[in-house]
Amino acid sequence: MSKPLSIIRIIFGVLITIFGANKFLNFMPAPETMPDAVMNYMTALMSTKTLELVGAVEVIAGLSFIFNKYGALMALILMSVSINAVLFHAFLGPSDIMGALILLILNIVMLYAYRDKYKDLLAG
């Protein structure tokens, strides 16, 4: 992996780790007012412990990128989280979509960076 891609990988890993840890430690305050649809969605995620599961996946994947272990696998797993974040913001909170789009773009860059690892998987 080239030096610029390594820097992007580490930045992506740090961001994912921070967002995952926030799901447990709540150090980034939630907005004071949120639409009812957002409140209902977040309440459902919290009541089913889905938010904690996503947080754990994000922390594990972020550390994986930081330490450059299993990055190809984690890029695939995180794609569903990245797409879900973009769709959440697109439909429920469009004013805050930029962060989700940046993470999706970084995820796509990581998938491209690990493209050689997927050859056997996609060979059919």
Side-chain angles (χ1 to χ4, degrees):
M1 189 173 283
S2 69
K3 189 154 188 118
L5 279 175
S6 293
I7 292 169
I8 291 170
R9 175 184 48 79
I10 292 169
I11 290 170
F12 185 51
V14 168
L15 289 173
I16 291 294
T17 303
I18 289 170
F19 288 130
N22 184 58
K23 290 178 177 64
F24 298 105
L25 305 174
N26 298 314
F27 49 83
M28 289 187 266
E32 302 244 346
T33 60
M34 289 187 270
D36 286 340
V38 173
M39 288 299 296
N40 292 339
Y41 183 75
M42 296 309 287
T43 301
L45 289 178
M46 288 187 291
S47 69
T48 59
K49 304 294 185 198
T50 303
L51 214 51
E52 287 87 355
L53 176 62
V54 171
V57 167
E58 287 175 338
V59 168
I60 292 167
L63 292 173
S64 175
F65 283 116
I66 292 168
F67 295 112
N68 199 23
K69 299 287 181 187
Y70 308 107
L73 175 62
M74 292 302 148
L76 284 174
I77 291 170
L78 279 179
M79 199 60 187
S80 63
V81 175
S82 299
I83 290 171
N84 191 23
V86 169
L87 292 175
F88 168 82
H89 286 291
F91 292 105
L92 299 177
S95 62
D96 299 326
I97 198 168
M98 191 52 66
L101 284 173
I102 289 169
L103 288 177
L104 177 62
I105 290 167
L106 290 173
N107 201 158
I108 291 169
V109 168
M110 286 295 96
L111 284 169
Y112 183 77
Y114 289 113
R115 68 189 177 279
D116 291 340
K117 304 269 184 179
Y118 307 126
K119 284 183 180 177
D120 290 339
L121 180 67
L122 298 173

